[in-house]
Amino acid sequence: MSDIIQVKPKDVIERILSLELVRVTERAAVASALLRGRGDEKAADKAAVDAMRRELNKMPIDGTIVIGEGERDEAPMLFIGERVGNGLGPKVDIAVDPLEGTTLCAKDMPGSIAVMAMASAGSLLNAPDVYMDKIAIGPGYPEGIVDLDASVEENLNALARAKGVKPHQLTALVLDRPRHAPIIEAIRKVGSSIRVITDGDVAGVIFTANAYETGIDIYLGTGGAPEGVLAAAALRCVGGQMQGRLILDTEAKRERAAKMGVADPNKKYRMEELASGDVIVAATGVTDGALLQGVKFRGPVITTETLIYRSLNGTVRRIHGEHRQMSKFNLD
């Protein structure tokens, strides 16, 4: 009997919930994949939202959406403050992006995913739907080696020294937006390479966690605050560093943030402040991309690929799903 490993009931529950998260993102991914290449971003997004809400409400949790697709009056999106689950389980925070890369899905371009994170209540930053200034690197570097308040040149030079390479051997990932022109110019001045993406900065931040495979050393620039929290949750599970600062450049945004508990509008958040506690993140590919394969419709079988991350033990599982019961996807 002494050799039997005792598993705490709480661990059993959370392991089960990890698999439940996979089901949620799988359903959202399949629903939106049916609309790939149709040019209708809103329809694809709504399909993912509806599928995700339906599955979340089956889960044995008392959940609150703290990162969603908008405010309460913007339903049927999964709105901030919405209660999900059957109410019979633990109280949890939920962050969702039912379809990250709506344009990518609508145009059938690489990199669209369905993603969500779950943590105990009070663990995820309740961020308003505004922009966030972000910087992220992967694991293995001294704490504080990069900083939002440092210049692009300073960050790249510091990262190069810590990695033991020259700045021109680094690659930075940046969203392709006009507002990032000064960042791109600064990166080129240092001599580092740049990879631009049209959408999908959750996956973009995750790329830094495995630079040897993705070729991405650092993520720089502004993107959505909800995506920033989701990205921080995933990065916490695999190691790395990230900082974010909400861009509250109007009085209306500052007032909205204050109502959501943001006391300091200029606060620089560390990764652990964006997502704390035991975090579980699931992401399922919608279209093929560098991170995940997209949904495949192969006659009587639908295939999916999902990554499930857990911060408690740093485990990352890649799950290839083959689905033969079509009724569970509500395809009619």
Side-chain angles (χ1 to χ4, degrees):
M1 292 293 291
S2 60
D3 294 333
I4 296 177
I5 298 174
Q6 298 296 322
V7 180
K8 298 177 182 178
K10 181 174 180 289
D11 290 338
V12 173
I13 292 170
E14 290 180 348
R15 289 176 184 180
I16 292 171
L17 288 178
S18 295
L19 290 175
E20 290 296 320
L21 260 65
V22 173
R23 293 187 180 96
V24 173
T25 56
E26 284 177 344
R27 301 299 195 273
V30 170
S32 52
L34 288 166
L35 296 168
R36 284 184 308 217
R38 305 287 182 85
D40 193 336
E41 297 179 17
K42 290 184 178 179
D45 195 34
K46 184 179 184 303
V49 168
D50 290 346
M52 186 168 276
R53 176 183 279 121
R54 185 169 58 247
E55 294 305 315
L56 280 171
N57 284 329
K58 295 177 184 177
M59 290 183 67
I61 57 172
D62 182 0
T64 301
I65 302 292
V66 297
I67 294 292
E69 293 217 313
E71 310 299 330
R72 182 179 296 273
D73 61 357
E74 294 174 353
M77 299 307 183
L78 278 157
F79 58 83
I80 297 169
E82 182 174 350
R83 301 291 292 274
V84 293
N86 63 15
L88 301 178
K91 291 184 179 296
V92 295
D93 285 349
I94 302 285
V96 300
D97 195 342
L99 182 58
E100 196 211 12
T102 53
T103 301
L104 300 178
C105 178
K107 295 182 177 180
D108 201 6
M109 295 171 63
S112 183
I113 62 175
V115 59
M116 67 168 292
M118 183 178 71
S120 56
S123 296
L124 301 178
L125 178 69
N126 194 4
D129 190 8
V130 297
Y131 281 120
M132 175 184 281
D133 195 11
K134 310 170 194 177
I135 187 169
I137 59 173
Y141 301 105
E143 188 65 30
I145 195 70
V146 296
D147 195 286
L148 270 180
D149 292 328
S151 68
V152 171
E153 293 88 344
E154 289 169 333
N155 281 318
L156 290 173
N157 284 321
L159 182 59
R161 286 194 299 271
K163 192 173 182 177
V165 299
K166 299 295 184 183
H168 71 265
Q169 294 174 273
L170 298 178
T171 298
L173 187 73
V174 182
L175 271 173
D176 188 11
R177 299 289 186 272
R179 64 180 180 269
H180 289 152
I183 292 176
I184 291 173
E185 182 181 354
I187 295 170
R188 288 187 171 141
K189 184 178 179 181
V190 173
S192 299
S193 297
I194 301 171
R195 186 183 303 175
V196 295
I197 54 173
T198 58
D199 293 279
D201 61 342
V202 174
V205 170
I206 296 172
F207 284 166
T208 66
N210 195 352
Y212 291 106
E213 286 191 11
T214 65
I216 301 301
D217 298 290
I218 186 170
Y219 177 95
L220 295 163
T222 61
E227 290 84 354
V229 175
L230 275 164
L235 201 59
R236 264 210 63 222
C237 297
V238 293
Q241 298 177 42
M242 180 176 173
Q243 292 178 353
R245 179 182 284 121
L246 300 174
I247 300 177
L248 304 172
D249 49 5
T250 68
E251 187 59 33
K253 290 177 183 177
R254 288 189 287 272
E255 288 178 1
R256 183 151 53 102
K259 289 178 181 178
M260 297 174 71
V262 177
D264 180 2
N266 298 310
K267 181 177 174 61
K268 179 172 59 180
Y269 292 93
R270 295 179 295 108
M271 179 174 65
E272 295 79 8
E273 294 173 306
L274 294 168
S276 61
D278 182 8
V279 183
I280 306 170
V281 180
T284 301
V286 177
T287 58
D288 287 345
L291 187 66
L292 287 158
Q293 292 293 302
V295 176
K296 302 289 189 301
F297 298 96
R298 293 170 170 160
V301 177
I302 298 174
T303 64
T304 57
E305 186 175 46
T306 302
L307 284 169
I308 181 82
Y309 304 85
R310 190 174 179 193
S311 67
L312 182 67
N313 47 24
T315 300
V316 180
R317 289 185 172 89
R318 188 176 294 268
I319 299 175
H320 174 82
E322 294 185 357
H323 311 274
R324 292 173 174 80
Q325 186 181 354
M326 300 298 131
S327 59
K328 67 183 181 181
F329 292 110
N330 289 347
L331 300 181
D332 337 335

